[in-house]
Amino acid sequence: MQPGVATLPNPLYMKTTLIIALVLGTYILQAQPQVYTIEPIPNEEVAYSGDLSEGIVLDDLSWAWNSSNACFPETQKSKFTGKHLFFTGIIPKYSEMEVTVIPKDPTANFSVYAYEIGVNSNYLVPNLPRCIRCEADHKQERNFSGKAPQDHTRKVTNLVAINNPYRVVIGVTGADGLSEGEFTLVVSMKSR
């Protein structure tokens, strides 16, 4: 090496390092999903806007049919394979919450689930060892006798807090790998 002459790094080494950094950076971004805070108002509806493109894909859905969660059966997993966008808030004691997802495009196939955990818990799927309650709604393959035909909206009910408040985590997702689409999330809460 001559004095005063800089040695450039090997271009192959730089390219390999850049690729590793990009893959690792992508993994880190995917490992930390954004969770939006909602603030339900007793005896009122509050609406939030979202887009599935801001969510993440969950490679593991087995938490949902684990008997400690019982959110939806494994036979319905294709309805939850798109990107997941998360919202969280508190259900005060003596309250009941209802969550409705309204896709902007009525032909988009969305699904929704919501689970209750302790107020100070921060479990986020797929790392959900157990929950107090989990409810889900997705497109039904057929109409059921005695029930109105399903439209493009999805609704989760029976999110209840009696003697204690609970944290609710809402997951809005797409069916069959749907990874984008705008929607409105309507949160309605009744105080008892």
Side-chain angles (χ1 to χ4, degrees):
M1 180 185 294
Q2 298 175 343
V5 176
T7 304
L8 296 174
N10 179 338
L12 180 59
Y13 172 78
M14 288 177 55
K15 185 175 181 181
T16 303
T17 304
L18 179 61
I19 290 171
I20 291 171
L22 287 173
V23 169
L24 186 57
T26 301
Y27 174 76
I28 290 170
L29 288 175
Q30 289 177 350
Q32 302 297 324
Q34 175 69 41
V35 181
Y36 295 96
T37 301
I38 60 171
E39 296 182 16
I41 299 172
N43 302 312
E44 290 190 31
E45 287 185 350
V46 182
Y48 300 90
S49 296
D51 193 318
L52 282 185
S53 64
E54 298 175 20
I56 63 164
V57 173
L58 296 180
D59 294 326
D60 178 13
L61 294 173
S62 63
W63 57 269
W65 49 86
N66 178 312
S67 62
S68 298
N69 298 324
C71 198
F72 55 85
E74 186 174 7
T75 57
Q76 299 301 315
K77 70 181 177 182
S78 67
K79 311 278 177 53
F80 299 86
T81 55
K83 286 191 173 180
H84 294 240
L85 194 59
F86 300 103
F87 299 83
T88 187
I90 303 296
I91 303 175
K93 64 182 181 176
Y94 310 120
S95 298
E96 182 175 354
M97 182 183 284
E98 182 176 280
V99 176
T100 306
V101 174
I102 308 165
K104 185 174 182 180
D105 175 0
T107 65
N109 191 357
F110 276 67
S111 299
V112 63
Y113 57 88
Y115 57 89
E116 294 180 50
I117 51 180
V119 171
N120 297 318
S121 296
N122 289 310
Y123 291 123
L124 187 62
V125 295
N127 301 313
L128 181 64
R130 68 191 163 283
C131 64
I132 295 157
R133 165 189 318 258
C134 189
E135 304 291 339
D137 190 24
H138 53 80
K139 183 177 181 180
Q140 303 296 325
E141 300 305 319
R142 61 184 179 89
N143 291 327
F144 291 94
S145 179
K147 280 184 93 173
Q150 201 178 30
D151 63 10
H152 66 291
T153 64
R154 302 291 175 258
K155 186 180 291 192
V156 172
T157 60
N158 299 319
L159 299 168
V160 179
I162 305 295
N163 293 323
N164 296 302
Y166 293 111
R167 175 173 302 284
V168 64
V169 178
I170 302 162
V172 178
T173 185
D176 303 317
L178 183 66
S179 61
E180 60 183 29
E182 295 177 36
F183 63 90
T184 301
L185 178 74
V186 179
V187 179
S188 173
M189 193 169 63
K190 296 181 212 169
S191 295
R192 294 179 169 200

